[in-house]
Amino acid sequence: MNVNQQPHMASPYGQPQSGYQGYQQTGYGNQHVPGGYPTPYAPYNGPASTYQPGPPQGMRGPPTSGPPPVSGTQAYSQFGQGDTQNGPPPMAALQQRPSVSQQYTHGTMQLSGPQSSFNQPFGAPPTSMQQMTNQMSGMQIGSTVPSPAGPGYAPPTVSQASASAAYTPSAPSSFAPSSAVHSQPLPPDSVAQTAPQPFYGAPPTPPQPFPGAAPPFSAAGPAQPPAPPLGSQQSFSQAHPPSQPQFTSAPPPVSTASYGGPPPTTQASHPRAPPLTSQPSTFSGGPPPTSSPSQYPQPMPQQPPVSQPNPFHSGPPQPTTAAGFPPQGGPPLRVPHPGVQGPPMTSQGPPTSQTNHVAPPQPGMLPGPPPVNMAGPPAQPSMQGYPPQQNGAFGQVRGPQPGYVGQYPGQQSYVAQPPAQAPAPAPKRLDPDSIPSPIQVIEDDKLNKGNEPFVTGVRGQVPPLVTTKFQVKDQGNASPRFIRCTAYNMPCTSDMAKQSQVPLAAVIKPLATLPLDENGPYIVDHGESGPIRCNRCKAYMCPYMQFIEGGRRFQCGFCSCVTEVPPHYFQHLDHTGKRVDCYDRPELSMGSYEFLATVDYCKNNKIPQPPAFIFLIDVSYNAVKNGMVAIVCQELKTLLDYLPRENPNVASNIRVGFVTYNKVLHFYNVKASLAQPQMMVVSDVADMFVPLLDGFLVNVAESRVVIESLLDQIPDMFADTRETETVFGPVIQAGLEALKAADCAGKLFVFHSSLPIAEAPGKLKNREDKKLVGTDKEKSLFQAQVSFYSNLAKECVAQGCCVDLFLFPNQYVDVATLGVVPTSTGGSIYKYTYFQGQADQERFLNDLRKDVQKQMGFDAVMRVRTSTGIRPTDFFGSFYMSNTTDVELAGLDCDKTVTVEFKHDDKLSEETGALMQCAVLYTSCSGQRRLRVHNMAVNCCTQLADLYRNCETDTIINYFAKYAYRGVLNNPTKNVRDSLINQCAQILACYRKNCASPSSAGQLILPECMKLLPVYLNCVLKSDILHPGADISLDDRAYLRQLVSAMDVAESHAFFYPRLLPVHKLNVEGNALPVAVRDSEERLSKGGVYLLETGLNLFLWVGANAQQELLQNIFGAPAFSQIDPNMTSLPILDNPYSKRLREIIESFRAQRSRYMKLMVVKQEDKLELIFKHFLVEDKNNSGGASYVDFLCHMHKEIRQLLS
C-alpha cells in the first residue's frame, strides 16, 4: 500500500487549487515550478478506495499512527525544498492526466467543475488518526528529502500562504481562465476583521493533545503560540455560533471512517463552485443544490464579524493585511499560526480518503437537513459510454450528471452573479465513488480474512463476511455457518442497548451443510443415561461448564447452578482446572456436536418410525396442459433412487406414497405383491380419510415395478381431463391422515396449479385487489383469507408432517393463504408462474431434486438457552410456536434458519460475556432421535464504541428484513419503512453522538463495520415487499415475504445486493473470478458482458458494443443482433471462455438452495427493465431512492435526531 495515493475524491488529478482571492498561493501538484521543470502530476497509484478503516477505536496515538491512506495523491513537497512557486500555473500546465481506468475528456473540464489537486480547502479537519495521516496525504514518502520537521513536512517557505489569514471560499476564484493572474483588491468594506484567524481548513487544536504526542501537525520546529480555546475559535461554519466550533480535530474513535470529505472546490483558472451542503432540502432526488459560481473575479460581498454568523459566506473572513486591506499579488505575509507548523497542510478540510465522513457541510451553511445531494467530491469530467469499473474500488472518473440544470430552486446565491457570457459550471452531485462501496468492503474482507482459517476459540471475534470463502476450525464456539450474530460484543445493560438501538439477534441455521474440508458435528453417545445436563436450567454439557471439587461437580455457565457429575462421566482435572479428557470429548471442546437421544426424548416415549414422503399431484386441466404432470411423473421414476440417507452405501429407509387430485382425491395402492397399482377415489372431501392402510406407504426397492407402472399411467389417465377446479385443504389433510395412520413423521410434496375454488374445506375466493396497495388495508393482502389453514398447520406440526408446496399458477392463487401450512411446518414454497415445460423444466426439476435429496430432520423442537442477563424474546422463520420458548418444526432442512432476538432481563458482566446454546431435538432421515447442540459465547461491553466495533451488517440487515416483512402483516408498509429508517438513523446517531469525536454536523460519520448499513437498508426498503412497483403481483410479494423469513445471511445478502460480475474481464487461465462491480447502471460498459446473480435469478447482460470475438466465444453468434434473447442456457462451445463461464454459472447455482434460471438480456431489449430492477444503487421505477439520495436522507434524519 503506497502512502502516496491521493484520496480519490480530490479528483481530476492535478488541477491547481484555487488561490486566495486577489493574491497568489503556494503551488502544489500541478503548478508550474520555477526551477526548471513543470511537473504536471504527482506520482499516482491508480484510483483506490476513498474509504479506509482507521486503527482500533479508542486508541489515540500520534498523528501518524493510522494506516497510510489508500488512495492516489499528489506529492506534498514534490518540488524539493523551497522551489515551489506561488500563483496559478499557465493554462498549458493544466493538462488532464488519464486515470488508470480511462481518459479524462479535456473538454468537459469546465462543465464538471474544476477540482482541487489535493484535498479541498473546505470541510472538516481530520477526525481520526487515520485522517491525520491522510491530511498529510500530500507527502510523498521515500522520494523526497525529509525536511527537518520530520518526514514529509516541508520546511516553511517564504512564499507560503499566510497561515493566519482566513478567507471566504464562497467567493469565486480570482483567476480567469487564462494564464494571466488577476489580483483585484476588494472594496475596503469587505474587510470584517483583522484578528489572526486560524488558516481556513486547518484544524483547531484539539481540546486535549494526544497522550504522549504533540498536537496534530505540530512537528518539531519553531514553537507557535497556542491555539485559542475552542470556544473562541473562528467557527468554520458561520451558521453556528463560535462557541460551538463546527469542526474540531479531536480524533473520533479511530475506526470511524468518514466519507465524502470535502465538497467540490475549484482551482486556479476555474470558477469556484460554492459549497453544496448549505441548503436544507427535501429528500426527493431532485437536482442538488449548487449556485452559479462566477467565472471572473467579482467584488466580494460584505463580510460580517466572526461573532455574527453570516448566512451567505462560507468560511472565515478574507485575508487582510495589517492595514486592513486584502493583500495584493505577491508573496503573502508570514504570520505565525496557532497549531500548524510549516506550510499549511495540503488537506485543508477533511482528507478525502477520510474514512466514512460523507459530505461535510459548508461553513456558512444554514442549520437544517443536508441537501439532497450532499457536497461530495466534484463530478468528474464526463466520458463517452459507461465508465468501466476500476477494480471495484471507488477509483472512477464520473461525468457530470445529466438532467441537473441551473441553480437549485430557491437556493441563495453565494456569489455575485457571473457576467452573462460566462457559462455556469454544471451543478455537482455527490460522487458515488466517494461513498462506502459494498464491493470495496467485500474485497477488503477477502484479502484480510480469506487466507487463514477462522478459529472459533476466541470469544466475541467477528467472523469473515458471508461473501468471503474461508475455512472454519471449531475450537469451542459454533461455526459462523451455524450461527451468525448481529453483535459480537453485547451491551452490558438494557439502557445501553436501548440507547444504541442495535438489534441483538442471532441467525441460526442448525443443520447447515458444511464444505468438504470441514468436519460435521461429531456424534456423542452417552448410552442409556443420555446427555449430561444442568439440573436447574437443563442446558447441555458444553465447553462453558466449569468443573469443580476435583471434577466431582460442575458449575453451569448459563445459570451458575452446581450439578453432580454422574460416576460414569467422572474424570480428574489437570493443573488448570480442565478435565484431562477435555480434548477427547466434543462436548467439552467443540462449539457444535450431536448427542444420540434416549427414548425419554422421543414422542410418547417410543423410538420413532422412519419418516415417509408422500407425493400429491394436481391433475386438473391446467396442470396436465402445461406439462407439469408428465414431467413430475417422469422425474419421480429416477428421483426415488436418491431419497435422503445417512450412509450413501445403504438404501434409504424412507417410505413413499402417491395421491392425485382435482376436485376429488385418488389414492394408489402400490403394494409390492400387486401386478398393477390400484386406484381408490375419495369424493367426500368434507370429511377426509385414507381409504387404505396396507400398500399406501411402501419401500421403494420392494415396490419399484408397481411404482413405475403407476407413474407411467398417471399422465395418460388424465390426459383428456376437462376438470378445472381443485381442492387444497383436503389434500394436506389426506397426507396428514396417512402419516397418522402409519404413526410416523414425514413430508408432503404438493404439486398444485390453481386457486382452490371447488366446494371443500379451505375453499378460497379471488381477492386480488391492486387498489389496496399503498393503503391501510394493504396488510390484509398478506394475511390468510381463512383461519382453516393455520389450524391445519397446527395439526401437521403435532404429527411431524412437513409440507413443501410447488406452485404452477397462471393467475392469482393466493400464496398468502396457501403458504400458511408450508411456512408453519418448516416447509418450502416454490413458484413457477406461467410454467412452460420447455423453458422451466430445468429449473423445476433441479429444485425438486434438491428438495427431495437434501438432509433434513423431522418432528423437530428447538430451544435457545442463554446465560443470566439476556433471554430470547422473539423468533423469525418457518415454524410454529405453541409456547414462548419452544420452536416447533415439523421439518427442518439444511437451508432453513431461525432468527432469534435477545433482550436484557438483567445486567451482563464484561468478564463472563454472554452465552447462548441452541439445542435441536429431531428425528434423522434414518429414524434416529438426535440432539444437535450449538454453543456461542460473545463479549459484553460497557462502552458503546466496543459495541459498534463488533457488529456484522449483513446479519443486522437479515434481521431487519425479517422484522419488517413480518411487520407488514399488521401495519401499513409506509409505517414499516419509516420505523426501519428511524431505527437505522438512531443507531448511527447514537454512534455519532457517543463514539465519534466532535465534528461538523454536515459530516455523515459511519461506524467502520456499519458503513454499508445505509446502502443495504435502502435495498430492503426498495424491495418488492415494502415498495412494490406496479408490475409485481400480490402473489409474488407474498411468496418473497415467506421466502425471506427463513433465509440465511448469505442468501439475504445476494437477494438484497446482487452480485454483478464483468465476465468480459474473465481470466480463463486462473480460477479467480473478476472483481464484481457495483449495482448501478453507470457501471455497465456498452462493450461489456455482465453476469448478475440474485440468489433466485441469473441474468447475462450483453452490451450493444460487445466484441465480436467475445460473443462468438459465449453464444456462438457472430454479432449482437444474432443472439437469441430467449435462450435459458449457454451453448456448449469448445473454447476455454465458454467452458469457464459455464463453470462459474454452475458454481453459483451450487451455492444457492434454489436453482437460478439464466436469462440473457440484450442492451435496449425489453427484458432490460427486469434486469435494471436489480441494479439497487439506482433509483427504481416504483419510486425507490438511489443510494446517493438515501444516504443524504439518512444524514438528514441523523441530524434531526442529534439536534
Side-chain angles (χ1 to χ4, degrees):
M1 186 183 295
N2 191 325
V3 180
N4 15 246
Q5 295 184 319
Q6 158 99 359
H8 156 87
M9 291 170 353
S11 64
Y13 311 95
Q15 288 196 39
Q17 156 114 359
S18 178
Y20 288 169
Q21 179 76 25
Y23 70 98
Q24 299 155 308
Q25 164 175 344
T26 329
Y28 304 168
N30 184 7
Q31 320 291 50
H32 184 75
V33 183
Y37 58 99
T39 6
Y41 309 111
Y44 161 68
N45 290 342
S49 97
T50 338
Y51 131 87
Q52 80 205 34
Q57 247 161 324
M59 279 170 42
R60 296 176 181 254
T64 47
S65 66
V70 195
S71 332
T73 196
Q74 310 311 79
Y76 178 77
S77 52
Q78 186 174 335
F79 309 118
Q81 313 281 6
D83 55 347
T84 23
Q85 166 202 324
N86 282 337
M91 272 312 271
L94 271 178
Q95 332 152 16
Q96 295 308 316
R97 140 123 153 285
S99 103
V100 176
S101 59
Q102 66 218 54
Q103 301 198 312
Y104 283 90
T105 315
H106 198 76
T108 52
M109 216 43 239
Q110 294 284 15
L111 278 176
S112 67
Q115 339 266 327
S116 70
S117 56
F118 48 90
N119 301 331
Q120 287 102 319
F122 286 94
T127 39
S128 73
M129 271 345 305
Q130 167 202 341
Q131 286 160 228
M132 291 297 180
T133 41
N134 289 353
Q135 291 254 21
M136 307 170 205
S137 60
M139 305 182 311
Q140 180 173 0
I141 293 201
S143 62
T144 52
V145 188
S147 70
Y153 290 69
T157 57
V158 188
S159 62
Q160 146 115 3
S162 154
S164 72
Y167 81 113
T168 309
S170 59
S173 161
S174 61
F175 305 123
S178 75
S179 54
V181 177
H182 300 259
S183 7
Q184 170 168 335
L186 293 172
D189 66 2
S190 70
V191 178
Q193 78 187 59
T194 54
Q197 288 304 319
F199 184 87
Y200 182 76
T205 339
Q208 78 277 0
F210 297 94
F217 303 135
S218 70
Q224 302 283 2
L230 278 179
S232 67
Q233 279 175 350
Q234 160 80 29
S235 162
F236 287 106
S237 156
Q238 302 269 26
H240 298 272
S243 59
Q244 293 176 296
Q246 189 171 354
F247 294 98
T248 69
S249 65
V254 184
S255 74
T256 309
S258 67
Y259 275 89
T265 58
T266 44
Q267 280 49 30
S269 55
H270 282 294
R272 169 178 299 287
L276 287 179
T277 29
S278 54
Q279 162 95 13
S281 91
T282 53
F283 173 47
S284 65
T290 53
S291 53
S292 313
S294 157
Q295 188 109 6
Y296 299 103
Q298 303 289 330
M300 210 165 225
Q302 176 155 354
Q303 176 85 358
V306 193
S307 56
Q308 274 176 273
N310 174 354
F312 292 91
H313 285 314
S314 45
Q318 178 71 9
T320 55
T321 55
F325 284 84
Q328 304 302 308
L333 304 171
R334 173 91 183 104
V335 186
H337 164 58
V340 174
Q341 182 67 37
M345 300 319 282
T346 40
S347 57
Q348 282 141 246
T352 41
S353 76
Q354 249 179 329
T355 35
N356 300 351
H357 290 352
V358 176
Q362 293 326 306
M365 137 167 191
L366 305 170
V372 177
N373 284 14
M374 293 186 293
Q380 311 275 356
S382 71
M383 328 138 350
Q384 291 303 309
Y386 300 77
Q389 168 80 356
Q390 171 65 34
N391 272 352
F394 305 102
Q396 197 100 291
V397 192
R398 171 148 275 90
Q401 293 304 311
Y404 287 160
V405 185
Q407 249 177 278
Y408 197 53
Q411 169 169 0
Q412 340 197 6
S413 180
Y414 284 69
V415 291
Q417 287 307 306
Q421 75 273 23
K428 294 168 193 63
R429 160 184 186 247
L430 180 59
D431 180 2
D433 279 337
S434 66
I435 54 183
S437 157
I439 305 302
Q440 189 64 40
V441 172
I442 288 167
E443 291 302 315
D444 288 350
D445 192 76
K446 285 178 183 168
L447 207 63
N448 299 333
K449 297 187 179 177
N451 301 324
E452 67 255 8
F454 177 72
V455 179
T456 69
V458 183
R459 182 177 83 189
Q461 57 176 341
V462 183
L465 298 179
V466 285
T467 43
T468 298
K469 200 173 174 188
F470 60 100
Q471 187 190 11
V472 179
K473 293 212 165 129
D474 184 342
Q475 292 189 0
N477 278 311
S479 158
R481 305 193 203 287
F482 294 123
I483 302 183
R484 278 189 177 264
C485 299
T486 54
Y488 288 84
N489 207 330
M490 288 194 172
C492 282
T493 64
S494 61
D495 288 348
M496 200 172 147
K498 281 195 189 96
Q499 186 185 0
S500 75
Q501 288 286 316
V502 174
L504 303 177
V507 179
I508 306 173
K509 193 177 182 184
L511 300 186
T513 311
L514 300 181
L516 298 172
D517 59 354
E518 292 176 25
N519 295 322
Y522 290 99
I523 297 179
V524 179
D525 186 359
H526 283 314
E528 291 186 9
S529 59
I532 315 292
R533 304 177 70 175
C534 166
N535 272 345
R536 182 198 288 161
C537 70
K538 301 295 184 221
Y540 294 90
M541 179 54 67
C542 68
Y544 315 138
M545 303 299 190
Q546 185 70 44
F547 288 86
I548 53 175
E549 297 176 23
R552 286 188 295 279
R553 310 172 93 191
F554 68 89
Q555 182 171 26
C556 176
F558 295 89
C559 69
S560 304
C561 173
V562 175
T563 302
E564 294 284 334
V565 174
H568 71 87
Y569 196 68
F570 173 78
Q571 185 55 270
H572 295 284
L573 308 185
D574 65 12
H575 64 285
T576 63
K578 272 188 170 170
R579 283 173 57 124
V580 294
D581 64 351
C582 171
Y583 293 105
D584 301 331
R585 290 189 175 273
E587 74 274 23
L588 299 181
S589 56
M590 311 282 278
S592 303
Y593 41 88
E594 288 198 327
F595 291 116
L596 285 185
T598 57
V599 74
D600 304 335
Y601 291 88
C602 301
K603 201 181 276 182
N604 308 327
N605 288 0
K606 60 182 197 198
I607 298 293
Q609 299 282 336
F613 281 2
I614 303 176
F615 298 91
L616 304 110
I617 305 167
D618 175 353
V619 288
S620 65
Y621 176 74
N622 281 339
V624 173
K625 191 182 75 171
N626 66 20
M628 180 271 280
V629 175
I631 291 170
V632 170
C633 292
Q634 184 59 37
E635 179 62 24
L636 287 179
K637 286 193 275 188
T638 48
L639 194 50
L640 295 177
D641 291 333
Y642 297 98
L643 296 175
R645 67 205 70 199
E646 310 234 9
N647 180 346
N649 306 319
V650 179
S652 173
N653 52 6
I654 290 178
R655 291 168 297 164
V656 297
F658 302 89
V659 174
T660 56
Y661 66 93
N662 39 45
K663 272 199 329 196
V664 297
L665 278 77
H666 323 104
F667 291 80
Y668 297 92
N669 183 347
V670 282
K671 202 163 150 186
S673 55
L674 295 174
Q676 281 291 322
Q678 295 173 347
M679 171 165 138
M680 296 179 159
V681 180
V682 175
S683 52
D684 181 9
V685 289
D687 184 17
M688 203 59 228
F689 66 98
V690 178
L692 71 162
L693 290 179
D694 189 28
F696 179 65
L697 291 179
V698 296
N699 180 293
V700 175
E702 291 167 12
S703 297
R704 171 166 301 284
V705 177
V706 191
I707 290 173
E708 291 205 347
S709 169
L710 169 67
L711 293 172
D712 283 335
Q713 291 176 34
I714 288 175
D716 297 338
M717 261 191 293
F718 299 99
D720 300 324
T721 183
R722 284 282 165 267
E723 184 54 73
T724 55
E725 293 189 356
T726 55
V727 295
F728 186 70
V731 178
I732 292 172
Q733 285 174 323
L736 173 61
E737 292 302 322
L739 293 178
K740 278 185 183 169
D743 192 24
C744 68
K747 188 169 183 177
L748 310 183
F749 295 83
V750 184
F751 303 91
H752 187 79
S753 68
S754 55
L755 191 69
I757 53 172
E759 225 24 84
K763 171 187 175 181
L764 300 177
K765 58 180 194 291
N766 187 334
R767 56 170 181 164
E768 184 177 28
D769 186 359
K770 281 273 184 93
K771 291 194 200 73
L772 297 182
V773 175
T775 69
D776 285 355
K777 291 187 179 165
E778 182 177 7
K779 59 190 178 205
S780 66
L781 302 172
F782 291 111
Q783 297 163 356
Q785 241 185 82
V786 290
S787 60
F788 171 84
Y789 291 101
S790 46
N791 298 330
L792 180 56
K794 191 173 167 182
E795 288 180 53
C796 287
V797 172
Q799 181 56 39
C801 167
C802 170
V803 179
D804 277 3
L805 177 57
F806 292 81
L807 285 170
F808 304 86
N810 289 334
Q811 53 198 26
Y812 180 72
V813 289
D814 200 351
V815 176
T817 305
L818 298 187
V820 168
V821 178
T823 50
S824 306
T825 58
S828 307
I829 306 172
Y830 298 86
K831 184 165 176 286
Y832 310 91
T833 313
Y834 304 121
F835 180 80
Q836 291 173 314
Q838 280 308 98
D840 300 300
Q841 174 172 343
E842 188 184 16
R843 177 174 153 231
F844 162 53
L845 291 181
N846 276 285
D847 283 342
L848 178 59
R849 286 168 198 152
K850 213 173 237 185
D851 197 59
V852 167
Q853 295 173 39
K854 63 185 169 191
Q855 288 298 322
M856 66 177 298
F858 298 89
D859 211 357
V861 182
M862 170 173 142
R863 181 174 280 194
V864 177
R865 295 179 173 82
T866 50
S867 53
T868 312
I870 53 168
R871 62 192 172 88
T873 54
D874 209 350
F875 299 85
F876 303 84
S878 294
F879 52 76
Y880 177 78
M881 291 186 81
S882 54
N883 57 33
T884 56
T885 53
D886 294 335
V887 174
E888 298 173 50
L889 300 125
L892 173 64
D893 65 48
C894 56
D895 297 317
K896 292 287 182 301
T897 63
V898 176
T899 302
V900 186
E901 185 180 10
F902 303 100
K903 289 268 190 328
H904 287 75
D905 56 6
D906 203 346
K907 280 191 175 144
L908 292 165
S909 90
E910 286 188 274
E911 292 73 54
T912 55
L915 310 178
M916 60 187 89
Q917 183 180 75
C918 161
V920 183
L921 177 65
Y922 70 98
T923 303
S924 73
C925 52
S926 59
Q928 204 174 43
R929 201 72 176 146
R930 293 193 187 158
L931 263 162
R932 180 167 288 204
V933 180
H934 297 297
N935 301 290
M936 189 74 184
V938 298
N939 288 329
C940 296
C941 57
T942 52
Q943 298 296 318
L944 283 165
D946 292 328
L947 163 65
Y948 281 104
R949 204 183 292 122
N950 292 282
C951 291
E952 206 208 11
T953 303
D954 291 322
T955 311
I956 291 174
I957 289 296
N958 180 286
Y959 165 83
F960 274 154
K962 290 171 179 175
Y963 177 78
Y965 283 15
R966 188 175 68 184
V968 298
L969 289 171
N970 305 307
N971 305 284
T973 49
K974 183 180 186 308
N975 298 11
V976 174
R977 286 200 308 270
D978 291 347
S979 76
L980 270 188
I981 292 174
N982 184 40
Q983 184 168 358
C984 181
Q986 284 184 321
I987 291 172
L988 298 176
C990 171
Y991 175 80
R992 175 63 189 265
K993 184 176 173 189
N994 299 288
C995 307
S997 70
S999 64
S1000 125
Q1003 277 181 313
L1004 173 59
I1005 301 185
L1006 304 170
E1008 177 51 35
C1009 66
M1010 282 193 195
K1011 61 177 176 240
L1012 298 181
L1013 191 62
V1015 61
Y1016 289 162
L1017 185 76
N1018 188 36
C1019 297
V1020 175
L1021 296 171
K1022 284 161 60 165
S1023 63
D1024 292 324
I1025 316 301
L1026 299 181
H1027 207 141
D1031 52 346
I1032 184 162
S1033 68
L1034 300 178
D1035 272 346
D1036 278 336
R1037 293 178 71 198
Y1039 164 68
L1040 292 174
R1041 192 191 75 77
Q1042 292 165 342
L1043 189 63
V1044 169
S1045 70
M1047 266 186 187
D1048 72 355
V1049 181
E1051 297 203 305
S1052 64
H1053 179 273
F1055 180 78
F1056 289 114
Y1057 195 92
R1059 171 158 57 164
L1060 183 61
L1061 284 192
V1063 294
H1064 54 279
K1065 295 187 179 174
L1066 193 58
N1067 174 13
V1068 291
E1069 305 302 318
N1071 286 327
L1073 294 175
V1075 174
V1077 298
R1078 291 169 65 174
D1079 293 342
S1080 171
E1081 192 178 351
E1082 58 189 32
R1083 307 280 168 177
L1084 302 176
S1085 151
K1086 278 188 175 173
V1089 177
Y1090 296 82
L1091 183 66
L1092 180 115
E1093 181 222 3
T1094 72
L1096 298 178
N1097 305 91
L1098 279 172
F1099 296 92
L1100 192 63
W1101 183 89
V1102 187
N1105 301 348
Q1107 288 177 359
Q1108 198 173 339
E1109 184 189 5
L1110 187 62
L1111 300 181
Q1112 188 71 52
N1113 281 342
I1114 298 176
F1115 303 103
F1120 178 78
S1121 58
Q1122 291 176 350
I1123 297 168
D1124 175 12
N1126 300 318
M1127 66 168 68
T1128 53
S1129 61
L1130 294 179
I1132 298 169
L1133 303 174
D1134 188 15
N1135 67 68
Y1137 205 95
S1138 169
K1139 193 169 164 218
R1140 182 77 185 104
L1141 182 54
R1142 283 180 287 113
E1143 278 170 9
I1144 290 173
I1145 289 172
E1146 285 317 306
S1147 73
F1148 282 10
R1149 285 173 172 159
Q1151 290 167 25
R1152 305 292 173 208
S1153 60
R1154 292 171 184 244
Y1155 185 84
M1156 297 182 290
K1157 178 178 166 182
L1158 179 71
M1159 296 169 76
V1160 174
V1161 179
K1162 294 164 73 174
Q1163 190 177 354
E1164 311 289 330
D1165 194 44
K1166 57 182 186 297
L1167 274 179
E1168 203 180 25
L1169 275 177
I1170 301 172
F1171 171 77
K1172 284 181 181 174
H1173 181 70
F1174 297 103
L1175 299 178
V1176 291
E1177 289 197 20
D1178 298 337
K1179 280 195 182 74
N1180 69 12
N1181 292 338
S1182 53
S1186 70
Y1187 174 21
V1188 168
D1189 289 345
F1190 182 69
L1191 198 59
C1192 302
H1193 181 62
M1194 279 309 300
H1195 189 196
K1196 184 175 87 175
E1197 295 285 323
I1198 292 165
R1199 290 178 59 181
Q1200 281 174 347
L1201 288 172
L1202 291 175
S1203 62

